[in-house]
Amino acid sequence: MTETRPKPLVRTSDLSKHYPVGRSLLQRRIVHAVEQISLDIFPGETLGIVGESGCGKSTLGRCLVRLTEITSGALEFEGLDITKASQRQLRPIRRQMQMVFQDPAASLNPRRRVGDLLADPFRVHEKLSRSEMMDRVEELLVRVELLPEHAQRFPHEFSGGQRQRIGIARALALRPRLIVADEPVSALDVSIQAQIINLLCDLRDEFNLTYVFIAHDLSVVRQFSSRVAVMYMGSIVETGPVDAIFSAPRHHYTIALRSAVPVPDVDNRPGQRIMLKGDLPSPLDPPSGCRFHTRCVAATSVCRQERPVLSLVDKNHFVACHHPSAG
Ligand SMILES: Nc1ncnc2c1ncn2[C@@H]1O[C@H](COP(=O)(O)OP(=O)(O)OP(=O)(O)O)[C@@H](O)[C@H]1O
Ligand code: SF4
Ligand SMILES: [Mg+2]
């Protein structure tokens, strides 16, 4: 990192998350969901995380806000090591890092009124009178472009887009510094997606938020992010400023992903679609060396033997590849 950059808000060092699977000890195998990720997230930036289904995006997002225990490596928030912090130690930090989920319906208790759901963070973290709490809830509803009277309704009385607004209001309640948004618009109609993205953009500017924005859809990431990290089988294979990732990607996986972006082609060049050959390998038995070698058009013998590490190729642009493309 260059010396002029501010201190990271979040830093991961060799962070890994493994899930044991299999019923008995003999059958037990390990899913390498996140493997040795070292990542700095700077205040005010929006880091987009992209990659195919199952590459570990949600697991990484959950580790970043310590909703999931970390198997190995370290996690810092504002310079404080919180890798192994207990729930009690995490409490003052928890309010500063929140998550917005893909399916807000699943994270909102259907039997409780929205006003109560939104009051929860104030109950846990702040000592407010009931009327102060309800004032804060109404303020929040208005801020996400809903109505104060919506506090009396139940989650099922809202549309998908409105429920996502409630999910965002809940994440925003305690004025966090970091929001990890895990595919917040993937379950919504395209017409509603833009409204929710616009809301997230407005909130970012108003509350000085730092976002980690997880998405399948590269075009959404392009609109919304300042920096992009591309994941493949649990690792970051390329990260850099959004324009560099889209106009001059260097990793062969990023190049294939980008070519799959629907028309209009990202730089108005004739869209040439590069099909990824082969299926995504099993995370229970990842390929040796570069995890991508089984599908890469540029693979050589060194790729099958040695795991490439992220190296600087341009300003703030890092690639993990033995034979990066010229860009
Ligand atoms: N609780 C769990 N137990 C066992 N394996 C898990 C668990 N959660 C995730 N995994 C596995 O870890 C890997 C990464 O999953 P993850 O949900 O993080 O991927 P993702 O990139 O978010 O995928 P998607 O785009 O489909 O949401 C997958 O192989 C998944 O099956
Ligand atoms: S290291 Fe080798 S296999 Fe991996 S992306 Fe680069 S060229 Fe392809
Ligand atoms: Mg996911």
Side-chain angles (χ1 to χ4, degrees), residues 15-18 32-37 233-235 291 307:
L15 187 148
S16 297
K17 173 69 187 179
H18 298 165
H32 297 253
V34 168
E35 280 199 286
Q36 295 187 313
I37 288 190
M233 294 201 74
S235 300
R291 302 288 189 246
R307 185 116 193 243

Side-chain angles (χ1 to χ4, degrees), residues 49-64:
I49 298 188
V50 292
E52 282 166 288
S53 183
C55 71
K57 303 180 295 297
S58 297
T59 304
L60 174 62
R62 294 174 69 88
C63 287
L64 291 176

Side-chain angles (χ1 to χ4, degrees), residues 190 193 216-223 246 256-273:
V190 175
Q193 289 188 358
H216 267 105
D217 185 341
L218 277 183
S219 50
V220 171
V221 169
R222 190 174 206 197
Q223 283 173 45
F246 280 88
L257 262 193
R258 191 198 69 155
S259 75
V261 176
V263 281
D265 179 70
V266 284
D267 287 311
N268 297 324
R269 282 186 248 153
Q272 192 200 358
R273 217 182 141 110

Side-chain angles (χ1 to χ4, degrees), residues 159-213:
S159 67
Q162 286 175 320
R163 275 200 291 267
Q164 194 52 290
R165 289 177 192 273
I166 296 166
I168 292 168
R170 196 169 55 171
L172 202 64
L174 297 168
R175 300 281 161 89
R177 301 199 55 203
L178 172 76
I179 291 187
V180 175
D182 188 359
E183 308 219 27
V185 298
S186 318
L188 304 175
D189 288 348
V190 175
S191 57
I192 310 292
Q193 289 188 358
Q195 295 174 13
I196 298 292
I197 299 274
N198 286 341
L199 174 66
L200 289 169
C201 284
D202 292 347
L203 296 173
R204 170 174 62 195
D205 300 341
E206 188 175 332
F207 297 108
N208 238 331
L209 292 166
T210 303
Y211 281 121
V212 173
F213 187 85

Side-chain angles (χ1 to χ4, degrees), residues 251-252 290 292-293 296 298-299 303 308 321-323:
H251 195 283
H252 301 281
C290 172
F292 188 55
H293 82 248
C296 181
C303 305
C321 176
H322 295 302
H323 315 295

